[in-house]
Amino acid sequence: MAQFGFENDIHSILKLDMPITNAPMARWQRKASSSNASASSGLSPGKSANVSLSSSKTPSKTPGKNKKQTPSKMGGDRFIPTRNSKQMDVASFLLSKENEPVDTNNSTGTIESQKAWSMSLNGYNIEDAKILHLGGKPLNAPEGYQNNLKVLYSQGATPASVKKTRYISSTPDRILDAPELRNDFYLNLLDWSSRNVLAVALHNSVYLLDASQGDVTLLMKLDREEDYICSLSWSTDGSYLAIGTSDCKIHLWDVYNQKRLRSMASHTSRVVSLSWNDHVLSSGSRSGHIHHHDVRVEDHHLFTLTGHSQEVCGLQWSPDGRYLASGGNDNMVYVWPRVQEGTAGQSIHSWSEHQGAVKALAWCPWQPNILASGGGTSDRHIRIWNVNSGSCISSLDTQSQISSLVFAPNYKELVSAHGYAHNNVVIWKYPALTRVAELNGHEDRVLSLILSPDCSTVATVAGDETIRLWKSFEMDPVKKSKERLVKSTSSVIHQSIR
């Protein structure tokens, strides 16, 4: 019996139905008591909210379990570079104060008293304190350090936002009356010298306009009334003017001495196009022939270029003097090599893509191998050619007769003069050939245009017997708001050539 009593005592000890009074507290009980203690404890300015948590013996090692845990006094927030213990205390107080009910019974005197105490103890008003405050200056990067990270956003102004908007006036800067101007598409009656003198042919007379001073002088007049001027071209230095006439002659004038130097006769029909290349003057006539003249010698005629079957109305030497481009009423464009004495001239390229007369020719000053050509009423296309490869780079239908072309280097643009049906001037962005601006004002077809020596102004002459100067290419123009208003015709300088 004693044995059975002993076994019963052992079973009663091993049974866990009853709580163990002397055993340590379970983990879940410690957690529950810890959370209750933190919820019941109050926050004050002089006491941190982390005291009860820091006193716990078994902090949780699982990340994210205790989401209510706040940074301790010693560690602080690892994303805040500087935060002292006083800032932590103020932050704890402000956070706890947000949950307290607002006391509406506080008198003005009590509020002033609290403010005074706060200023005395803290050095600032606690009501204006920030919960988070970043202090201290960032450390400078060590010498030689390079940051390879790409900057995606910046508060600084980008170049696009500070870029000045270009202003192109829709009205001419000056209008000149040109009575008795011949309304003939094939003639070249306007040219601008490197010394800023504008030459214009009115029937059988040539007038000079000093663009700087505004003075107009008569240079010459043909003897016979039935004869007329067909073409004008300044020499490179601006001292001499070549004049082609309807009586098959070329007159060479010394402008500043008002003296005719010589008269050259070699063509059998009117001379409608002229172009200089150093001391060599090239001329194109209605016969389709192109003559090269050495103006220094008595026997001036060097040789003849034959290719066109009709009138040669366009003639331009390239800026580097290597190529001569010619356009004719036969819709052809030819490119000829540099003048070489004693050799017969053969064309390098001949292009027949145009469907109308080709008078408009222009070489690109910053790309000497690029040539632009424009067709007449039946064609209306601008074509860009690469002389080196002989290919057409681009083509654009302008929907209007093209009488003249010129490249404007200040903004890398191409300017075209038009006859039927628009009678205007268009500025194109090169090489995209997108329309930049239109210059309207002429009442008849624009016969020719020429660029000023400083490349800031273009002069146009039209069948309405007017010459208009458009200041459209000034470098970095500064325009006031008043000047951006459309000018009235009375504000435009109006002058007569005669």
Side-chain angles (χ1 to χ4, degrees), residues 113 138 153 170 177 213 229 299:
S113 177
Y153 302 99
S170 59
D177 290 329
Q213 305 295 330
I229 309 297
D299 188 10

Side-chain angles (χ1 to χ4, degrees), residues 229-295:
I229 309 297
C230 297
S231 55
L232 298 173
S233 182
W234 286 98
S235 61
T236 307
D237 60 359
S239 300
Y240 306 102
L241 180 65
I243 303 171
T245 63
S246 60
D247 60 351
C248 316
K249 294 180 181 178
I250 301 173
H251 302 283
L252 188 61
W253 278 76
D254 182 347
V255 174
Y256 294 96
N257 293 320
Q258 298 282 304
K259 180 181 178 181
R260 189 178 73 175
L261 298 178
R262 66 184 305 176
S263 179
M264 300 179 291
S266 61
H267 288 287
T268 58
S269 58
R270 68 177 188 176
V271 182
V272 295
S273 56
L274 296 166
S275 184
W276 288 85
N277 184 12
D278 197 13
H279 59 273
V280 175
L281 176 64
S282 301
S283 58
S285 70
R286 178 176 275 178
S287 64
H289 292 169
I290 301 172
H291 291 183
H292 291 314
H293 311 269
D294 188 342
V295 299

Side-chain angles (χ1 to χ4, degrees), residues 456-498:
S456 66
T457 306
V458 64
T460 57
V461 61
D464 58 2
E465 296 187 346
T466 63
I467 300 172
R468 296 170 187 257
L469 275 60
W470 313 82
K471 194 168 289 188
S472 304
F473 309 99
E474 289 183 294
M475 290 300 295
D476 194 21
V478 179
K479 298 290 183 181
K480 299 179 182 179
S481 57
K482 294 181 181 179
E483 296 175 346
R484 294 185 180 232
L485 300 176
V486 178
K487 298 180 182 178
S488 62
T489 55
S490 59
S491 64
V492 180
I493 299 177
H494 207 113
Q495 186 179 358
S496 177
I497 290 292
R498 290 184 176 176

